[in-house]
Amino acid sequence: MHEFKYRDQRLVCESVDLDEIAERYGTPVYVYSAATLRNNYRRLEKSLEGLNTRICYALKANSNLAVLRVMANLGASFDLVSGGEIRRVLEAGGRVDRSVFAGVGKTSEEIERALRNGIFSFHVESEPELERIDRIASGIGVKAPVAVRVNPDVDAGTHAKITTGRSENKFGVPFDRAPDVYALAAKLRNIEIRGVQIHIGSQITKTEPFVAAIEKMRPLVTELKQRYGIGYFSIGGGLGIAYESALASGEAAWWEREDGGKHLLTPERYGRAVAPLLRDLDLEILLEPGRFLAGNAGVLLTRVEYVKHSGDRNFVIVDAAMNDLLRPAMYEAYHEIVPVAEGELAFTADIVGPVCESGDCFAKGRRLAATREGDVMAVLSAGAYGYVMAGRYNTRPMPAEVLVDGDRAAEVTARETFEQLIAHERIPEFL
Ligand code: LLP
């Protein structure tokens, strides 16, 4: 369940009125619900009860320090992909020594930082990376714990830009080559084989791809356990969320469409599908959810600047743009958009930002309530891959972020000022 709903026709996050947040902190502003983050975490944990699990929050989805603190307080581990993310987790009081370090392009500096902070395991994506980790570990006199990311070559049935488990992707080592890569790892003196990992893609809305990937991996996992005594199997992240009807469903879950119909695919359903395939492996099971934990725990508030009628189309021009929330422009992603003051559906419009590109469009042909200049709208399911993918295109400052917990709200990232935005730029003397 997420904590965004109408109360007396006003949209609230937990007990806080979103119109007041827009008033107090300005727009565009991301707003996160701490209770939703906690609910999502506990619900996922519970759906795999009985297994020995470790949830490694993929902070690439939302790496705000306050969000990380909420996760750390829940006992979460983390899925890290950069030296910067390692530092963030440390800043937030999280456990790097219970976290994993992933990514196809780890630099020497990042590897060393991870080792010096006692990383639980590296998720290795190639042989040259394995050799580099061995060298660096030897240089500082430690053994580097690793798991190899194996590409099981299954189709996750998701957007081309976020599917990762096919053999043509850059990720992991091909399934058939995995035994050789483990053999190399076993030969390297400063490498300790600790586990095996897969991740097949993101925003996966069915159980089948997860099941197919785990089934394909089972014989290999068993062999690796016998041969190298691995202690864990990471089944990655990728659990999708509801983007359509996100408000009405009130669900921290995702839709599956079959025969035109749809039903909720909940974490419980995910758990029921995968747990039976994992139990007898008798290994620690790592999960790397990002979107599932953070996605529906956040919205982007934006204020209407103009309502424009152009030929037979209506445009609602808002003060957020593709630089603030890139997903619609980049993936043609659907986000539900609702007014913070509830109203009857009255007209159809495109909701667009002010950036000078036609791709700067949040929604096309949406049914909306009567909308006027100054109204505040909420772009839903924006808690994951929202702020973290924001930029400064058109010299638009980075937006603010606010965290709500019960009846309290706090600005957890201040809106960037113009001075901060240009602070790293220099005009050389020779000009
Ligand atoms: N583990 C690995 C190795 C990953 O590459 C990812 C995401 C995750 C875990 C977390 O996946 P999640 O549970 O969030 O699906 N920017 C895109 C999503 C990119 C996902 C990249 N990898 C979007 O906005 O849809």
Side-chain angles (χ1 to χ4, degrees), residues 60-83:
K60 61 166 78 77
N62 184 329
S63 55
N64 181 277
L65 292 176
V67 169
L68 298 185
R69 175 62 61 85
V70 171
M71 293 295 175
N73 286 348
L74 286 163
S77 300
F78 298 90
D79 173 39
L80 308 156
V81 293
S82 70

Side-chain angles (χ1 to χ4, degrees), residues 58 60 79 162 199 202 238 288-291 327 331 385 389:
K60 61 166 78 77
D79 173 39
I162 52 178
H199 171 78
S202 197
E288 304 165 4
R291 190 188 320 260
R327 302 193 71 258
Y331 313 116
Y385 307 109
M389 290 173 72

Side-chain angles (χ1 to χ4, degrees), residues 40-357:
N40 289 347
Y41 183 91
R42 295 199 178 110
R43 191 170 170 192
L44 182 61
E45 194 172 48
K46 196 155 191 314
S47 74
L48 291 160
E49 221 168 22
L51 290 173
N52 176 15
T53 55
R54 181 188 307 216
I55 297 180
C56 299
Y57 170 54
L59 62 143
K60 61 166 78 77
N62 184 329
S63 55
N64 181 277
L65 292 176
V67 169
L68 298 185
R69 175 62 61 85
V70 171
M71 293 295 175
N73 286 348
L74 286 163
S77 300
F78 298 90
D79 173 39
L80 308 156
V81 293
S82 70
E85 287 194 352
I86 297 175
R87 298 184 70 172
R88 271 186 186 277
V89 165
L90 292 170
E91 284 288 324
R95 298 271 307 265
V96 170
D97 62 334
R98 289 192 40 84
S99 299
V100 293
F101 188 29
V104 289
K106 303 174 189 77
T107 66
S108 299
E109 199 189 333
E110 289 172 327
I111 292 167
E112 182 167 343
R113 188 181 293 280
L115 283 171
R116 290 200 187 278
N117 284 288
I119 194 81
F120 172 71
S121 191
F122 287 93
H123 287 169
V124 174
E125 307 232 11
S126 66
E127 282 145 309
E129 182 194 326
L130 201 51
E131 283 163 353
R132 187 188 287 191
I133 293 175
D134 178 60
R135 239 177 5 252
I136 296 170
S138 151
I140 55 178
V142 294
K143 272 203 160 199
V146 305
V148 175
R149 176 170 178 178
V150 177
N151 189 332
D153 196 19
V154 299
D155 188 356
T158 177
H159 192 285
K161 284 188 186 161
I162 52 178
T163 189
T164 53
R166 300 305 306 275
S167 56
E168 67 259 33
N169 291 130
K170 68 179 174 184
F171 299 102
V173 307
F175 185 80
D176 298 334
R177 299 234 34 249
D180 292 346
V181 180
Y182 273 94
L184 170 66
K187 271 194 232 133
L188 298 172
R189 298 174 60 122
N190 289 82
I191 294 289
E192 176 201 330
I193 297 172
R194 192 165 270 183
V196 60
Q197 196 258 358
I198 56 169
H199 171 78
I200 55 173
S202 197
Q203 184 55 17
I204 298 171
T205 53
K206 296 180 182 163
T207 51
E208 287 85 348
F210 293 112
V211 168
I214 295 170
E215 268 175 348
K216 182 157 181 191
M217 288 293 293
R218 276 175 51 90
L220 176 65
V221 174
T222 309
E223 187 193 318
L224 294 173
K225 190 180 168 195
Q226 280 161 2
R227 193 170 284 196
Y228 304 110
I230 62 168
Y232 79 87
F233 178 21
S234 171
I235 58 172
L239 285 70
I241 59 165
Y243 282 98
E244 291 177 45
S245 308
L247 191 65
S249 83
E251 269 291 346
W254 54 99
W255 298 100
E256 193 170 15
R257 292 160 175 280
E258 273 160 16
D259 314 327
K262 46 184 179 179
H263 58 260
L264 283 174
L265 186 57
T266 58
E268 292 74 25
R269 191 180 277 242
Y270 169 77
R272 278 198 298 275
V274 301
L277 301 170
L278 298 169
R279 205 161 282 129
D280 65 331
L281 293 174
D282 195 23
L283 288 171
E284 185 177 15
I285 301 301
L286 268 59
L287 294 111
E288 304 165 4
R291 190 188 320 260
F292 174 78
L293 296 179
N296 71 356
V299 301
L300 172 64
L301 297 182
T302 181
R303 206 175 275 280
V304 175
E305 291 288 355
Y306 300 101
V307 180
K308 170 173 166 178
H309 308 283
S310 188
D312 58 354
R313 284 191 96 81
N314 300 314
F315 295 96
V316 172
I317 303 165
V318 295
D319 68 358
M322 61 190 285
N323 73 292
D324 302 298
L325 177 66
L326 189 56
R327 302 193 71 258
M330 188 156 175
Y331 313 116
E332 286 163 25
Y334 180 99
H335 282 262
E336 189 176 357
I337 304 177
V338 298
V340 299
E342 194 174 16
E344 295 287 317
L345 296 182
F347 78 128
T348 301
D350 292 2
I351 304 170
V352 302
V355 163
C356 37
E357 292 200 27

